[in-house]
């Protein structure tokens, strides 16, 4: 506990002084995979100043890449600002948090290049422990070369600054009814404080839809046996379970998350059970059945755990659990 406290002190100091060494506790990826999401990190990338010149014309085409350590989800990216060493973004992102005590926000500023790799202009890292739950905090960060910088004449090069706001908000399971009941109180608070909804986004309706594909029963293809896997389709996103060979009663028990900007009260989610060929027929696919699920019930109740009869299947049944959590 004492060691952890000393580590955090060094991290806080590193945000304001050029570091000898920037030590960041990295959340083990295998541990993060099994942890459940506990909240959302709201990130507002505002602007950068005095970035390095990388192009032949004495400018750069910067964008910011942001991710959380220990997370397997793809990194988020801002738009690219062409020929600009002082770009303005004001772009908002929401990242799923699994362990606010050990995860770290990694920020990398790149120079976009049409051909070849993109040059990294600088980076910084912010431990989530620096944030007070629910409170927005502003950062003006000196960009550094990497997370283990030895101070010498090269690494003292000025790489510019990055300005951003952060707010961590834990999830709370609640129904749409309770949210509506609190809506008037929130609106009165807003009119009193005279704050815009954009500035006070921690009470936004963004949330996390967690979908667990538990199992299926009596699914079969034309050859009387199957190599089944499930596909979850929602809002243009697609998630797939692993394929299980030669079984009519697969047990997947796999969970997927969808970060949504608002409650999906008017959305439906499709789950398809597919079978994929093996050996010489590995390219062949066959649908074993599907189900379309209206998500309004899960928003109202917070959780549904149900078995569904598969459409276009003689006897097929699929067991799905869905949870809606908001920040």
């Amino acid at each position: 506990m004492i060691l952890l406290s000393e580590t955090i002190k060094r991290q806080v100091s590193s945000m304001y002084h050029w570091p000898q060494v920037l030590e960041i506790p990295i959340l083990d990826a295998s541990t993060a995979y099994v942890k459940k999401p506990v909240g959302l990190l709201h990130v507002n990338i505002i602007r950068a100043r005095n970035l390095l010149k990388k192009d032949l014309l004495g400018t750069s085409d910067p964008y910011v890449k942001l991710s959380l350590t220990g997370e397997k989800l793809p990194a988020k990216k801002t738009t690219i600002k062409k020929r600009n060493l002082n770009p303005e973004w004001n772009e908002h992102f929401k990242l799923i948090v699994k362990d606010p005590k050990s995860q770290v926000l990694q920020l990398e500023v790149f120079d976009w290049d049409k051909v070849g790799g993109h040059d990294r202009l600088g980076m910084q890292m912010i431990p989530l422990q620096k944030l007070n739950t629910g409170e927005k905090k502003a950062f003006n960060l000196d960009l550094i070369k990497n997370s283990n910088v030895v101070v010498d004449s090269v690494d003292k090069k000025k790489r510019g600054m990055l300005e951003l706001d952060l707010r961590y908000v834990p999830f709370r399971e609640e129904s749409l009814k309770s949210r509506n009941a609190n809506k008037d109180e929130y609106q009165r608070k807003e009119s009193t404080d005279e704050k815009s909804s954009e500035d006070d986004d921690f009470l936004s309706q963004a949330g996390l839809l967690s979908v667990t594909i538990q199992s299926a029963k009596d699914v079969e293809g034309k050859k009387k046996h199957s190599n089944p896997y499930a596909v979850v389709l929602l809002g243009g996103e697609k998630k797939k379970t692993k394929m299980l060979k030669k079984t009519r009663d697969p047990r997947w028990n796999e969970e997927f998350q969808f970060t949504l900007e608002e409650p999906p009260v008017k959305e439906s989610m499709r789950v398809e059970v597919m079978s994929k060929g093996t050996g010489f027929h590995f390219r062949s696919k066959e649908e074993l059945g599907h189900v379309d699920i209206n998500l309004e019930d899960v928003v109202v109740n917070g959780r549904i755990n149900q078995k569904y009869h598969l459409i276009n299947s003689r006897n097929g049944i699929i067991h799905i659990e869905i949870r809606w959590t908001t920040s």
Side-chain angles (χ1 to χ4, degrees), residues 126-300:
I126 305 176
L128 299 194
Q129 275 200 341
K130 290 174 59 66
L131 306 177
N132 293 325
T133 300
E135 294 182 8
K136 184 171 72 173
K137 187 168 185 177
F139 291 86
N140 284 283
L141 306 175
D142 288 315
L143 295 173
I144 59 177
K145 185 177 181 180
N146 54 53
S147 60
N148 188 18
V149 179
V150 178
V151 177
D152 56 25
S153 58
V154 176
D155 291 330
K156 286 182 179 178
K157 181 188 295 185
K158 296 293 184 180
R159 297 176 176 274
M161 297 184 65
L162 182 64
E163 182 180 345
L164 66 151
D165 294 332
L166 297 181
R167 177 179 276 146
Y168 166 65
V169 187
F171 286 129
R172 59 183 181 186
E173 292 192 18
E174 63 174 11
S175 69
L176 185 62
K177 293 177 181 178
S178 63
R179 177 178 292 279
N180 289 336
N182 294 329
K183 185 176 180 181
D184 292 339
E185 180 182 351
Y186 172 56
Q187 289 176 338
R188 286 195 298 271
K189 182 180 183 296
E190 283 291 281
S191 61
T192 301
D193 294 346
E194 294 183 353
K195 294 180 180 179
S196 68
S197 58
E198 181 179 359
D199 181 58
D200 199 6
D201 62 2
F202 73 99
L203 287 177
S204 71
Q205 295 189 358
L208 184 77
L209 190 76
S210 301
V211 181
T212 302
I213 306 298
Q214 301 279 14
S215 60
K217 187 178 177 63
D218 292 330
V219 293
E220 60 177 318
K222 294 178 181 178
K223 294 184 178 181
K224 304 301 181 183
H225 65 74
S226 308
N227 302 310
Y229 63 95
V231 180
V232 184
L233 303 165
L234 176 63
E237 290 190 69
K238 178 189 289 188
K239 316 277 189 179
K240 293 195 296 185
T241 69
K242 58 182 174 290
M243 183 184 73
L244 300 179
K245 293 184 178 180
K246 296 183 179 181
T247 177
R248 295 175 54 187
D249 304 314
R251 299 185 65 85
W252 295 289
N253 195 28
E254 292 189 41
E255 182 176 323
F256 306 100
Q257 286 96 33
F258 298 85
T259 304
L260 304 179
E261 297 295 323
E262 58 185 22
V265 289
K266 297 181 180 179
E267 300 287 334
S268 65
M269 177 183 72
R270 171 165 287 204
V271 179
E272 300 174 346
V273 179
M274 304 290 295
S275 178
K276 187 175 182 180
T278 57
F280 292 108
H281 304 285
F282 72 96
R283 291 182 180 274
S284 64
K285 295 181 182 179
E286 179 184 359
E287 182 182 312
L288 307 181
H290 70 270
V291 61
D292 293 312
I293 303 172
N294 190 315
L295 296 176
E296 183 176 2
D297 286 345
V298 71
V299 175
V300 172

